[in-house]
Amino acid sequence: MANTIRELQVKDFVDAGLSVAEAIEFDGVLREIVSLCVSSTDIWRQIVTRRVLKPSQPHSFHQLVYYSLYHSSSNASDDADPPLYWFPSLKQARLTNLGRLMETYGPKLLGDSYKDPITSFRLFHKFSVEHPQEYWSIVLKELSVSFIEAPRCILDTSDPSKPGGTWLPGAVLNIADCCLQPSTRPYKPDDSLAIVWRDEGFDDTEVNHITLKQLRQQVTLVANAIEATFSKGDAIAIDMQMTASAVIIYLAIVLAGCVVVSIADSFAPKEIATRLHISKAKGIFTQDFISRGGRKFPLYSRVVEAGASKVIVLPVIGDDVGVQLREQDISWKAFLSFGRKHPRSPHYSPVYQSIDSVTNILFSSGTTGEPKAIPWTHLSPIRSAADGWACIDIQAGDVYCWPTNLGWVMGPTLLYSCFLTGTTLALYHGSPLGRGFGKFVQDAGVTHLGTVPSIVKAWKNTRCMEGLDWTKIKTFCSTGETSNVDDDLWLSSKSYYKPIIETCGGSELASGYVMGSLLQPQAFATFSTPSMTAGFVILDGNGDPYPEDVPCVGEVALFPHIMGATDRLLNADHDEVYFKGMPIYKGKVLRRHGDIVKRTVGGYFLVQGRADDTMNLGGIKTSSVEIERVCDRADECIMETAAISVAPASGGPEQLIIFVVLKKGYSSDVETLKKKFSKAIQSNLNPLFKVSAVKIVAEFPRTASNKLLRRILRDQMKRELSLHSRL
């Protein structure tokens, strides 16, 4: 195979899956582009702009072109910028939400320094960090947020006990009511589509939909039933798939002045019980079964085993539940009858509260013990929606889909991002792993598709999305774990190389702290900017911040003034978890987050895992993620890898161990893989790194949110090494 794009021939394109006629046509266009361009970046930009790489063409062909073009990037210096694949045009930039805002306010706020949304983006971001009051006073007007009592100011920093400050003090509202009311800015009339959805197994039927007015009526009915069954302020759990009914229940709980307790539908009874206990939940909404992949899995029985006191049970199919209920539990049909009999039905008066009142209890993954109970207030959704508006560019009339669950932070984030911007929420009631989900994306006209990297990997490897039309998608999004370049190449190609906006944050931040931007060129599996008004530094080994804009790797520390971030935890000391022992930077104590971040020469960022996933190999610090990026591409038989380091039981330097899951139908042996991994790591990372052992396993241990548990693999190897040492 040719090594560079200039050496490729028609035969190479045919070998990669094109017909002879297609290969000849592409070769002619490519030679013309190459003759006009100097750099690899310019060549790729022309290829993408002219749309000569098509979604219907084999992935092997896309790989051939991309990797031949950027073949030298793997040999670049360690802190070099990753190759770029997407470039904003000035015309596109001015049509984005943030670009439009910058064109309107940039000259006033930045003076003569303002040029245009692309040139001045970093300058405007810096302004938003240094002057959050000005930024938020503008952005709040762009969202469907209305106050019963207006805030006294944007940010009050007078209380020294609150390093994050007090945001929108004095404000009174109900954020669910904001979601349900029509508005002119953003344009959200009563007849606009609020939710579109489809049930798994009905893939050839019309997409279901409800308007904003219909949504408000259904939420009102459920809120009246909640008032008849519970008391104001009660914590009420939701443990079910993220269906249209689940979204209605979520909004109704908040509208009624109660608190949602978020529990993922994948949890075992013990995990459900832990969250019910911590939150003191007075009841729980669930389903009789979960329907996924054409199969039914019990859910109500798990909730009962968890010791839930009162359960409202929805049927997964039809109108009647398919299980025998306990005496104290209520069917969905009976529960709704309480709402219809309410004296105020069909009307409801929202419970208005102080902006810092708790509306939702979310939980950390709980990988190191009891999960942290993270309270969201009426403020948290504003942050979530604002970042969706600014960074992902969701607008009124768009259709936003992200397979997730209300038990994870992306569930509420997706819900609020849609309803506070006038965007239509798209839900698939079933597994996102199969073709049925992809056909729903096509039929619903999804314009913004969110993912987690493991789902994209499954789509690519099973080829289940071939032949579908995803070209209405304007933007992809990704979060939850580290993305893979080749998987992202496959995903972006499905809509003529639209951008994938990476985002990394946490439940306690109500959003991301580092993201991609439609006002900057993008690279696969890479972040291009801190989120708006958010700033951070990268700490060296002594805990001191590296100078700004210097390429480096270290633990990230966040500036403390983050709208929507927590100022309390329900079962842990907030100050100890996030602020104790952190350095002072420019007069403010930094906020702990725990990610290891790499900054490149050009200011791009790669998140290299958690601080506890770093390793010391021969005195050189590196991260699991960095090694996994290289090993994942060492051989075509590899599905995914996990890198850990373990010190021998007798002491000595840490040893590098690579765990590997093979693709279905492929085989290999540990010695062959060990040689290939060693060669790949030494060629691409450091010639001093040595692979001590390779372990082939069927699957990796993961949290319920699909995060890789390297800690368990590390503990497993420690036991093996200890046993070997004793023998």
Side-chain angles (χ1 to χ4, degrees):
M1 181 183 290
N3 291 321
T4 72
I5 195 76
R6 298 175 191 276
E7 297 171 355
L8 292 176
Q9 300 178 3
V10 170
K11 181 180 180 300
D12 297 312
F13 304 142
V14 173
D15 290 344
L18 295 193
S19 68
V20 174
E22 289 171 329
I24 292 173
E25 180 182 1
F26 179 80
D27 184 66
V29 175
L30 179 62
R31 289 182 184 280
E32 178 194 348
I33 290 173
V34 169
S35 69
L36 297 173
C37 300
V38 176
S39 69
S40 296
T41 300
D42 289 340
I43 294 172
W44 178 261
R45 187 170 189 167
Q46 282 298 313
I47 288 172
V48 172
T49 301
R50 296 193 189 189
R51 292 193 166 191
V52 292
L53 288 176
K54 305 188 187 312
S56 59
Q57 293 166 334
H59 182 54
S60 55
F61 173 63
H62 289 263
Q63 289 175 309
L64 174 67
V65 176
Y66 179 81
Y67 293 118
S68 296
L69 184 62
Y70 285 128
H71 74 288
S72 61
S73 64
S74 60
N75 300 318
S77 64
D78 191 47
D79 55 9
D81 288 330
L84 303 174
Y85 73 95
W86 183 83
F87 312 86
S89 70
L90 195 53
K91 180 180 178 181
Q92 288 173 325
R94 286 177 169 140
L95 293 174
T96 64
N97 291 324
L98 195 57
R100 175 173 51 80
L101 182 148
M102 289 175 65
E103 288 285 85
T104 303
Y105 296 96
K108 177 183 177 183
L109 298 176
L110 302 179
D112 293 340
S113 298
Y114 182 77
K115 305 303 180 189
D116 60 68
I118 297 176
T119 307
S120 304
F121 173 75
R122 288 195 175 179
L123 188 63
F124 188 73
H125 174 269
K126 183 180 180 182
F127 178 89
S128 79
V129 175
E130 296 175 349
H131 306 279
Q133 294 92 334
E134 284 85 346
Y135 177 83
W136 285 113
S137 66
I138 296 169
V139 172
L140 283 172
K141 297 172 185 174
E142 301 290 337
L143 304 176
S144 181
V145 175
S146 56
F147 300 104
I148 300 304
E149 294 182 25
R152 295 190 298 274
C153 61
I154 298 292
L155 173 62
D156 180 355
T157 59
S158 63
D159 187 346
S161 70
K162 292 186 175 183
T166 302
W167 292 88
L168 307 184
V172 175
L173 75 163
N174 185 295
I175 198 66
D177 186 49
C178 295
C179 291
L180 297 169
Q181 296 302 324
S183 65
T184 54
R185 184 178 177 186
Y187 185 63
K188 194 176 68 166
D190 261 345
D191 61 355
S192 62
L193 286 184
I195 306 176
V196 294
W197 78 93
R198 178 183 279 161
D199 294 319
E200 187 177 57
F202 294 85
D203 300 328
D204 294 321
T205 62
E206 290 292 317
V207 172
N208 303 292
H209 65 271
I210 58 173
T211 64
L212 178 63
K213 182 178 181 180
Q214 291 168 331
L215 175 64
R216 186 167 63 249
Q217 291 169 340
Q218 293 191 35
V219 171
T220 294
L221 173 62
V222 177
N224 279 325
I226 288 172
E227 186 176 284
T229 312
F230 297 97
S231 299
K232 179 184 171 183
D234 280 352
I236 306 169
I238 299 177
D239 184 358
M240 53 190 293
Q241 292 172 279
M242 191 166 174
T243 62
S245 294
V247 170
I248 288 166
I249 292 165
Y250 184 102
L251 291 171
I253 292 173
V254 177
L255 194 70
C258 295
V259 179
V260 176
V261 179
S262 291
I263 301 179
D265 63 358
S266 56
F267 280 149
K270 182 180 178 182
E271 294 169 308
I272 298 171
T274 297
R275 286 154 177 79
L276 292 176
H277 173 73
I278 293 172
S279 64
K280 300 180 175 61
K282 297 295 195 299
I284 182 170
F285 287 88
T286 192
Q287 297 168 193
D288 48 5
F289 298 96
I290 291 174
S291 177
R292 185 166 287 141
R295 300 170 61 193
K296 288 201 307 183
F297 302 91
L299 184 55
Y300 171 68
S301 59
R302 275 191 269 146
V303 170
V304 170
E305 188 178 339
S309 57
K310 181 185 293 182
V311 187
I312 297 99
V313 187
L314 285 77
V316 70
I317 298 173
D319 296 325
D320 299 311
V321 295
V323 291
Q324 183 67 41
L325 303 185
R326 299 179 305 177
E327 185 177 347
Q328 70 265 41
D329 298 335
I330 311 167
S331 72
W332 180 239
K333 185 188 292 185
F335 179 76
L336 291 181
S337 71
F338 300 159
R340 293 188 180 95
K341 295 174 184 175
H342 195 287
R344 197 166 46 212
S345 182
H347 304 290
Y348 188 81
S349 178
V351 175
Y352 297 111
Q353 298 175 311
S354 166
I355 196 163
D356 61 355
S357 299
V358 176
T359 61
N360 190 179
I361 300 172
L362 291 144
F363 295 90
S364 65
S365 299
T367 58
T368 57
E370 184 178 77
K372 296 191 294 290
I374 299 167
W376 268 28
T377 66
H378 291 277
L379 179 68
S380 314
I382 297 176
R383 176 72 200 211
S384 292
D387 277 357
W389 179 90
C391 298
I392 300 171
D393 196 46
I394 48 175
Q395 301 184 11
D398 284 336
V399 182
Y400 194 9
C401 180
W402 200 317
T404 184
N405 187 269
L406 289 170
W408 305 116
V409 67
M410 265 317 305
T413 296
L414 177 66
L415 179 159
Y416 285 120
S417 294
C418 288
F419 298 147
L420 294 179
T421 62
T423 302
T424 301
L425 171 61
L427 301 171
Y428 184 69
H429 299 177
S431 170
L433 297 178
R435 186 177 181 82
F437 174 81
K439 190 171 185 301
F440 169 70
V441 169
Q442 170 189 278
D443 295 350
V446 169
T447 59
H448 294 68
L449 177 61
T451 66
V452 294
S454 57
I455 291 179
V456 178
K457 186 180 291 291
W459 290 341
K460 185 189 79 171
N461 290 337
T462 60
R463 300 183 178 180
C464 63
M465 302 304 179
E466 289 187 2
L468 295 174
D469 182 359
W470 282 7
T471 56
K472 287 184 179 178
I473 295 173
K474 298 188 285 187
T475 307
F476 296 96
C477 322
S478 182
T479 193
E481 52 191 351
T482 304
S483 292
N484 173 278
V485 170
D486 195 63
D487 295 342
D488 276 1
L489 178 73
W490 176 89
L491 181 66
S492 181
S493 74
K494 294 303 165 189
S495 189
Y496 289 105
Y497 287 97
K498 293 300 193 302
I500 303 172
I501 300 300
E502 298 278 348
T503 175
C504 182
S507 305
E508 75 282 1
L509 300 178
S511 187
Y513 70 90
V514 63
M515 310 182 85
S517 170
L518 296 174
L519 302 182
Q520 296 174 297
Q522 296 299 300
F524 289 127
T526 305
F527 307 85
S528 62
T529 179
S531 58
M532 296 305 294
T533 73
F536 59 78
V537 294
I538 298 173
L539 305 177
D540 64 20
N542 297 317
D544 297 321
Y546 283 103
E548 293 181 18
D549 301 329
V550 170
C552 56
V553 179
E555 183 174 349
V556 72
L558 310 181
F559 294 180
H561 293 158
I562 307 169
M563 178 192 271
T566 54
D567 60 5
R568 73 202 101 155
L569 294 169
L570 302 187
N571 61 341
D573 186 322
H574 188 271
D575 184 70
E576 185 170 328
V577 170
Y578 296 115
F579 291 102
K580 187 176 181 181
M582 292 299 289
I584 303 292
Y585 183 73
K586 294 185 177 180
K588 300 182 181 69
V589 62
L590 295 170
R591 180 174 176 128
R592 183 180 291 107
H593 188 70
D595 284 345
I596 298 296
V597 172
K598 174 181 177 179
R599 181 167 55 216
T600 68
V601 170
Y604 286 84
F605 302 95
L606 292 91
V607 176
Q608 300 190 333
R610 302 292 290 170
D612 55 5
D613 282 331
T614 56
M615 54 184 80
N616 187 324
L617 302 177
I620 301 171
K621 284 189 176 181
T622 187
S623 73
S624 298
V625 171
E626 193 168 26
I627 290 175
E628 289 158 9
R629 285 183 195 273
V630 172
C631 290
D632 281 350
R633 289 188 48 78
D635 192 272
E636 65 175 357
C637 72
I638 296 165
M639 175 78 166
E640 57 182 338
T641 59
I644 63 161
S645 66
V646 181
S650 56
E654 293 180 19
Q655 297 180 353
L656 175 59
I657 317 291
I658 308 294
F659 286 78
V660 58
V661 175
L662 301 178
K663 291 178 183 175
K664 190 175 181 180
Y666 284 80
S667 62
S668 189
D669 61 85
V670 294
E671 286 305 317
T672 299
L673 290 175
K674 183 177 176 181
K675 290 177 183 177
K676 291 190 174 184
F677 288 150
S678 294
K679 182 180 179 180
I681 291 169
Q682 290 166 4
S683 300
N684 294 288
L685 291 180
N686 193 308
L688 301 178
F689 291 171
K690 177 185 175 184
V691 178
S692 296
V694 171
K695 294 278 186 179
I696 298 175
V697 296
E699 61 182 4
F700 292 150
R702 294 183 180 275
T703 66
S705 60
N706 210 44
K707 291 180 180 176
L708 178 59
L709 286 168
R710 297 183 186 85
R711 172 177 54 83
I712 291 180
L713 297 175
R714 198 177 296 119
D715 291 344
Q716 177 185 324
M717 283 307 304
K718 285 179 180 177
R719 288 193 296 269
E720 288 188 22
L721 291 174
S722 177
L723 178 61
H724 181 75
S725 175
R726 289 199 299 272
L727 292 175

